[in-house]
Amino acid sequence: GENVEQHPSTLSVQEGDSAVIKCTYSDSASNYFPWYKQELGKRPQLIIDIRSNVGEKKDQRIAVTLNKTAKHFSLHITETQPEDSAVYFCAASPFGTYKYIFGTGTRLKVLA
Amino acid sequence: DAGITQSPRHKVTETGTPVTLRCHQTENHRYMYWYRQDPGHGLRLIHYSYGVKDTDKGEVSDGYSVSRSKTEDFLLTLESATSSQTSVYFCAISDRRVTDTQYFGPGTRLTVL
C-alpha cells in the first residue's frame, strides 16, 4: 500500500532562515499532496497543497515543490518567524480514492 | 474552520469501560474518518465511512468500532477501553467531488487509567 516517509523528524532554524521538509511517497497514483501545520493542542490545519499536474506552488513565505519522477515533494518556508514553530505533516492521496496517507511529522522550532 | 465538532473534548476513563466519541459535521461531506495521534506515529487511520451505514477499517482498527446512521454523525466506540488507547482522537471529513482537502475536527483527548 501507499507509504509516506517524512524527514527530518525535528528541525531547528534561526529566525529569518529558511526551513525545508521533505517527503517521499510510494504510490505513483497519488495526485494530491497537502501540507498541514499543527500547533500545540490544536487540530492539523491545511497550509498549502499541490496537485500532480503542477511542479511548484507558492503562497507568500511558503512553497511546495513536487518531483513526480522521483516521488518527492517538499515544503519550503522562507524568512522563518517564531510563529512558524509547530509540527508539520505531509500527506499523499491517490487519485479517485478516499485515502490520505500521512507522514510522521516534523517538529519545527524557530529560534529567536 | 470547517463545520466539524467533536464531543467530548476531554475524557478520563478506567480500563474496561466502554467509551463513545462523537463527530458531527455540517458540510455534508461524503467521507468521515477517525484518526488517532500519538507521539512518533503521526496520524493513523482507525476507521472511515464512505456513506450512511457504510464503514471500513483503517490500519489500527483493533479494539474500535464505528457507526454512521446519519450523514452528519460518525461515532467511534471503544468497547472495553485499554491504557494503550490513551491518545488524541481526530475526526476528519472529505469529499473529493467538491474539494481535495481533508478537514479536521478539534480533537478529543482520551485518557484510560
Side-chain angles (χ1 to χ4, degrees), chain A residues 42-62:
Chain A
K42 304 287 188 178
R43 74 186 81 189
Q45 297 267 26
L46 180 75
I47 55 170
I48 195 167
D49 56 12
I50 192 168
R51 289 163 183 80
S52 58
N53 59 344
V54 176
E56 182 176 3
K57 182 177 178 180
K58 291 182 179 180
D59 183 2
Q60 300 182 1
R61 296 187 297 108
I62 61 173

PDB file of all heavy atoms in Angstrom, chain A residues 42-62:
ATOM      1  N   LYS A  42      -3.733  21.895  19.085  1.00  0.00           N
ATOM      2  CA  LYS A  42      -4.700  22.307  18.061  1.00  0.00           C
ATOM      3  C   LYS A  42      -4.885  21.203  17.022  1.00  0.00           C
ATOM      4  O   LYS A  42      -4.155  20.222  16.994  1.00  0.00           O
ATOM      5  CB  LYS A  42      -4.226  23.572  17.366  1.00  0.00           C
ATOM      6  CG  LYS A  42      -3.964  24.734  18.306  1.00  0.00           C
ATOM      7  CD  LYS A  42      -5.235  25.333  18.842  1.00  0.00           C
ATOM      8  CE  LYS A  42      -4.964  26.600  19.623  1.00  0.00           C
ATOM      9  NZ  LYS A  42      -6.215  27.234  20.119  1.00  0.00           N
ATOM     10  N   ARG A  43      -5.827  21.389  16.142  1.00  0.00           N
ATOM     11  CA  ARG A  43      -6.053  20.454  15.052  1.00  0.00           C
ATOM     12  C   ARG A  43      -5.074  20.728  13.911  1.00  0.00           C
ATOM     13  O   ARG A  43      -4.601  21.861  13.754  1.00  0.00           O
ATOM     14  CB  ARG A  43      -7.482  20.598  14.534  1.00  0.00           C
ATOM     15  CG  ARG A  43      -7.737  21.848  13.692  1.00  0.00           C
ATOM     16  CD  ARG A  43      -9.200  22.011  13.329  1.00  0.00           C
ATOM     17  NE  ARG A  43      -9.968  22.598  14.410  1.00  0.00           N
ATOM     18  CZ  ARG A  43     -11.299  22.695  14.407  1.00  0.00           C
ATOM     19  NH1 ARG A  43     -11.991  22.224  13.386  1.00  0.00           N
ATOM     20  NH2 ARG A  43     -11.924  23.246  15.414  1.00  0.00           N
ATOM     21  N   PRO A  44      -4.770  19.730  13.077  1.00  0.00           N
ATOM     22  CA  PRO A  44      -3.991  19.997  11.865  1.00  0.00           C
ATOM     23  C   PRO A  44      -4.771  20.939  10.941  1.00  0.00           C
ATOM     24  O   PRO A  44      -5.969  20.752  10.712  1.00  0.00           O
ATOM     25  CB  PRO A  44      -3.833  18.616  11.228  1.00  0.00           C
ATOM     26  CG  PRO A  44      -4.040  17.648  12.350  1.00  0.00           C
ATOM     27  CD  PRO A  44      -5.066  18.300  13.244  1.00  0.00           C
ATOM     28  N   GLN A  45      -4.061  21.934  10.412  1.00  0.00           N
ATOM     29  CA  GLN A  45      -4.672  22.909   9.509  1.00  0.00           C
ATOM     30  C   GLN A  45      -3.915  22.899   8.193  1.00  0.00           C
ATOM     31  O   GLN A  45      -2.685  22.968   8.177  1.00  0.00           O
ATOM     32  CB  GLN A  45      -4.612  24.316  10.118  1.00  0.00           C
ATOM     33  CG  GLN A  45      -5.390  24.486  11.412  1.00  0.00           C
ATOM     34  CD  GLN A  45      -6.813  24.987  11.183  1.00  0.00           C
ATOM     35  OE1 GLN A  45      -7.385  24.764  10.118  1.00  0.00           O
ATOM     36  NE2 GLN A  45      -7.395  25.643  12.159  1.00  0.00           N
ATOM     37  N   LEU A  46      -4.662  22.842   7.101  1.00  0.00           N
ATOM     38  CA  LEU A  46      -4.040  22.885   5.774  1.00  0.00           C
ATOM     39  C   LEU A  46      -3.352  24.232   5.557  1.00  0.00           C
ATOM     40  O   LEU A  46      -3.952  25.284   5.791  1.00  0.00           O
ATOM     41  CB  LEU A  46      -5.103  22.679   4.700  1.00  0.00           C
ATOM     42  CG  LEU A  46      -4.597  22.696   3.267  1.00  0.00           C
ATOM     43  CD1 LEU A  46      -3.868  21.400   2.953  1.00  0.00           C
ATOM     44  CD2 LEU A  46      -5.745  22.910   2.280  1.00  0.00           C
ATOM     45  N   ILE A  47      -2.085  24.198   5.116  1.00  0.00           N
ATOM     46  CA  ILE A  47      -1.387  25.454   4.829  1.00  0.00           C
ATOM     47  C   ILE A  47      -1.092  25.623   3.345  1.00  0.00           C
ATOM     48  O   ILE A  47      -1.034  26.753   2.845  1.00  0.00           O
ATOM     49  CB  ILE A  47      -0.075  25.584   5.632  1.00  0.00           C
ATOM     50  CG1 ILE A  47       0.844  24.380   5.385  1.00  0.00           C
ATOM     51  CG2 ILE A  47      -0.369  25.765   7.112  1.00  0.00           C
ATOM     52  CD1 ILE A  47       2.241  24.579   5.972  1.00  0.00           C
ATOM     53  N   ILE A  48      -0.915  24.545   2.639  1.00  0.00           N
ATOM     54  CA  ILE A  48      -0.684  24.604   1.201  1.00  0.00           C
ATOM     55  C   ILE A  48      -0.842  23.204   0.640  1.00  0.00           C
ATOM     56  O   ILE A  48      -0.668  22.214   1.368  1.00  0.00           O
ATOM     57  CB  ILE A  48       0.716  25.179   0.876  1.00  0.00           C
ATOM     58  CG1 ILE A  48       0.821  25.588  -0.601  1.00  0.00           C
ATOM     59  CG2 ILE A  48       1.820  24.200   1.256  1.00  0.00           C
ATOM     60  CD1 ILE A  48       2.055  26.445  -0.917  1.00  0.00           C
ATOM     61  N   ASP A  49      -1.216  23.117  -0.619  1.00  0.00           N
ATOM     62  CA  ASP A  49      -1.330  21.817  -1.260  1.00  0.00           C
ATOM     63  C   ASP A  49      -0.905  21.933  -2.714  1.00  0.00           C
ATOM     64  O   ASP A  49      -0.795  23.044  -3.262  1.00  0.00           O
ATOM     65  CB  ASP A  49      -2.744  21.247  -1.141  1.00  0.00           C
ATOM     66  CG  ASP A  49      -3.820  22.184  -1.697  1.00  0.00           C
ATOM     67  OD1 ASP A  49      -3.482  23.175  -2.382  1.00  0.00           O
ATOM     68  OD2 ASP A  49      -5.009  21.930  -1.412  1.00  0.00           O
ATOM     69  N   ILE A  50      -0.656  20.795  -3.327  1.00  0.00           N
ATOM     70  CA  ILE A  50      -0.245  20.790  -4.721  1.00  0.00           C
ATOM     71  C   ILE A  50      -0.816  19.554  -5.395  1.00  0.00           C
ATOM     72  O   ILE A  50      -0.956  18.499  -4.755  1.00  0.00           O
ATOM     73  CB  ILE A  50       1.305  20.848  -4.849  1.00  0.00           C
ATOM     74  CG1 ILE A  50       1.729  21.145  -6.293  1.00  0.00           C
ATOM     75  CG2 ILE A  50       1.946  19.553  -4.349  1.00  0.00           C
ATOM     76  CD1 ILE A  50       3.194  21.502  -6.420  1.00  0.00           C
ATOM     77  N   ARG A  51      -1.156  19.693  -6.658  1.00  0.00           N
ATOM     78  CA  ARG A  51      -1.656  18.584  -7.426  1.00  0.00           C
ATOM     79  C   ARG A  51      -0.606  18.136  -8.416  1.00  0.00           C
ATOM     80  O   ARG A  51       0.304  18.895  -8.768  1.00  0.00           O
ATOM     81  CB  ARG A  51      -2.981  18.966  -8.109  1.00  0.00           C
ATOM     82  CG  ARG A  51      -4.102  19.076  -7.095  1.00  0.00           C
ATOM     83  CD  ARG A  51      -5.315  19.823  -7.585  1.00  0.00           C
ATOM     84  NE  ARG A  51      -6.306  19.952  -6.531  1.00  0.00           N
ATOM     85  CZ  ARG A  51      -6.254  20.852  -5.555  1.00  0.00           C
ATOM     86  NH1 ARG A  51      -5.270  21.705  -5.507  1.00  0.00           N
ATOM     87  NH2 ARG A  51      -7.196  20.881  -4.635  1.00  0.00           N
ATOM     88  N   SER A  52      -0.749  16.918  -8.910  1.00  0.00           N
ATOM     89  CA  SER A  52       0.341  16.303  -9.661  1.00  0.00           C
ATOM     90  C   SER A  52       0.589  16.947 -11.015  1.00  0.00           C
ATOM     91  O   SER A  52       1.609  16.669 -11.645  1.00  0.00           O
ATOM     92  CB  SER A  52       0.072  14.805  -9.847  1.00  0.00           C
ATOM     93  OG  SER A  52      -1.156  14.597 -10.506  1.00  0.00           O
ATOM     94  N   ASN A  53      -0.308  17.787 -11.462  1.00  0.00           N
ATOM     95  CA  ASN A  53      -0.100  18.452 -12.750  1.00  0.00           C
ATOM     96  C   ASN A  53       0.663  19.767 -12.607  1.00  0.00           C
ATOM     97  O   ASN A  53       0.825  20.506 -13.578  1.00  0.00           O
ATOM     98  CB  ASN A  53      -1.438  18.694 -13.446  1.00  0.00           C
ATOM     99  CG  ASN A  53      -2.372  19.548 -12.622  1.00  0.00           C
ATOM    100  OD1 ASN A  53      -2.166  19.735 -11.421  1.00  0.00           O
ATOM    101  ND2 ASN A  53      -3.404  20.057 -13.259  1.00  0.00           N
ATOM    102  N   VAL A  54       1.128  20.048 -11.381  1.00  0.00           N
ATOM    103  CA  VAL A  54       1.851  21.280 -11.103  1.00  0.00           C
ATOM    104  C   VAL A  54       3.177  20.924 -10.440  1.00  0.00           C
ATOM    105  O   VAL A  54       3.237  20.027  -9.606  1.00  0.00           O
ATOM    106  CB  VAL A  54       1.028  22.192 -10.171  1.00  0.00           C
ATOM    107  CG1 VAL A  54       1.821  23.432  -9.788  1.00  0.00           C
ATOM    108  CG2 VAL A  54      -0.290  22.567 -10.834  1.00  0.00           C
ATOM    109  N   GLY A  55       4.249  21.633 -10.787  1.00  0.00           N
ATOM    110  CA  GLY A  55       5.552  21.324 -10.213  1.00  0.00           C
ATOM    111  C   GLY A  55       5.892  22.133  -8.973  1.00  0.00           C
ATOM    112  O   GLY A  55       6.689  21.706  -8.147  1.00  0.00           O
ATOM    113  N   GLU A  56       5.280  23.330  -8.868  1.00  0.00           N
ATOM    114  CA  GLU A  56       5.608  24.189  -7.742  1.00  0.00           C
ATOM    115  C   GLU A  56       4.423  25.113  -7.475  1.00  0.00           C
ATOM    116  O   GLU A  56       3.707  25.526  -8.383  1.00  0.00           O
ATOM    117  CB  GLU A  56       6.854  25.028  -8.038  1.00  0.00           C
ATOM    118  CG  GLU A  56       7.293  25.913  -6.895  1.00  0.00           C
ATOM    119  CD  GLU A  56       8.588  26.665  -7.190  1.00  0.00           C
ATOM    120  OE1 GLU A  56       9.112  26.524  -8.314  1.00  0.00           O
ATOM    121  OE2 GLU A  56       9.090  27.364  -6.289  1.00  0.00           O
ATOM    122  N   LYS A  57       4.248  25.428  -6.204  1.00  0.00           N
ATOM    123  CA  LYS A  57       3.185  26.359  -5.811  1.00  0.00           C
ATOM    124  C   LYS A  57       3.686  27.200  -4.658  1.00  0.00           C
ATOM    125  O   LYS A  57       4.339  26.682  -3.755  1.00  0.00           O
ATOM    126  CB  LYS A  57       1.931  25.585  -5.406  1.00  0.00           C
ATOM    127  CG  LYS A  57       0.736  26.442  -5.030  1.00  0.00           C
ATOM    128  CD  LYS A  57      -0.461  25.546  -4.716  1.00  0.00           C
ATOM    129  CE  LYS A  57      -1.666  26.352  -4.299  1.00  0.00           C
ATOM    130  NZ  LYS A  57      -2.824  25.451  -3.990  1.00  0.00           N
ATOM    131  N   LYS A  58       3.402  28.502  -4.714  1.00  0.00           N
ATOM    132  CA  LYS A  58       3.853  29.407  -3.658  1.00  0.00           C
ATOM    133  C   LYS A  58       2.686  30.151  -3.044  1.00  0.00           C
ATOM    134  O   LYS A  58       1.703  30.464  -3.727  1.00  0.00           O
ATOM    135  CB  LYS A  58       4.848  30.421  -4.226  1.00  0.00           C
ATOM    136  CG  LYS A  58       6.176  29.850  -4.644  1.00  0.00           C
ATOM    137  CD  LYS A  58       7.104  30.963  -5.144  1.00  0.00           C
ATOM    138  CE  LYS A  58       8.452  30.401  -5.550  1.00  0.00           C
ATOM    139  NZ  LYS A  58       9.368  31.465  -6.043  1.00  0.00           N
ATOM    140  N   ASP A  59       2.820  30.460  -1.769  1.00  0.00           N
ATOM    141  CA  ASP A  59       1.849  31.292  -1.068  1.00  0.00           C
ATOM    142  C   ASP A  59       2.614  32.086  -0.038  1.00  0.00           C
ATOM    143  O   ASP A  59       2.919  31.596   1.044  1.00  0.00           O
ATOM    144  CB  ASP A  59       0.768  30.440  -0.402  1.00  0.00           C
ATOM    145  CG  ASP A  59      -0.302  31.277   0.274  1.00  0.00           C
ATOM    146  OD1 ASP A  59      -0.228  32.524   0.200  1.00  0.00           O
ATOM    147  OD2 ASP A  59      -1.220  30.691   0.877  1.00  0.00           O
ATOM    148  N   GLN A  60       2.981  33.296  -0.407  1.00  0.00           N
ATOM    149  CA  GLN A  60       3.748  34.193   0.447  1.00  0.00           C
ATOM    150  C   GLN A  60       5.075  33.527   0.838  1.00  0.00           C
ATOM    151  O   GLN A  60       5.911  33.289  -0.039  1.00  0.00           O
ATOM    152  CB  GLN A  60       2.927  34.613   1.658  1.00  0.00           C
ATOM    153  CG  GLN A  60       1.643  35.351   1.260  1.00  0.00           C
ATOM    154  CD  GLN A  60       0.834  35.834   2.438  1.00  0.00           C
ATOM    155  OE1 GLN A  60       1.185  35.671   3.597  1.00  0.00           O
ATOM    156  NE2 GLN A  60      -0.281  36.480   2.151  1.00  0.00           N
ATOM    157  N   ARG A  61       5.283  33.213   2.109  1.00  0.00           N
ATOM    158  CA  ARG A  61       6.581  32.674   2.534  1.00  0.00           C
ATOM    159  C   ARG A  61       6.686  31.158   2.411  1.00  0.00           C
ATOM    160  O   ARG A  61       7.734  30.576   2.707  1.00  0.00           O
ATOM    161  CB  ARG A  61       6.860  33.074   3.986  1.00  0.00           C
ATOM    162  CG  ARG A  61       7.006  34.566   4.218  1.00  0.00           C
ATOM    163  CD  ARG A  61       7.439  34.856   5.649  1.00  0.00           C
ATOM    164  NE  ARG A  61       6.428  34.416   6.630  1.00  0.00           N
ATOM    165  CZ  ARG A  61       6.568  33.374   7.417  1.00  0.00           C
ATOM    166  NH1 ARG A  61       7.658  32.619   7.364  1.00  0.00           N
ATOM    167  NH2 ARG A  61       5.606  33.061   8.282  1.00  0.00           N
ATOM    168  N   ILE A  62       5.641  30.510   2.031  1.00  0.00           N
ATOM    169  CA  ILE A  62       5.699  29.054   1.922  1.00  0.00           C
ATOM    170  C   ILE A  62       5.555  28.613   0.470  1.00  0.00           C
ATOM    171  O   ILE A  62       4.890  29.281  -0.328  1.00  0.00           O
ATOM    172  CB  ILE A  62       4.636  28.357   2.800  1.00  0.00           C
ATOM    173  CG1 ILE A  62       3.222  28.776   2.379  1.00  0.00           C
ATOM    174  CG2 ILE A  62       4.865  28.646   4.259  1.00  0.00           C
ATOM    175  CD1 ILE A  62       2.147  27.981   3.111  1.00  0.00           C
TER     176      ILE A  62
END
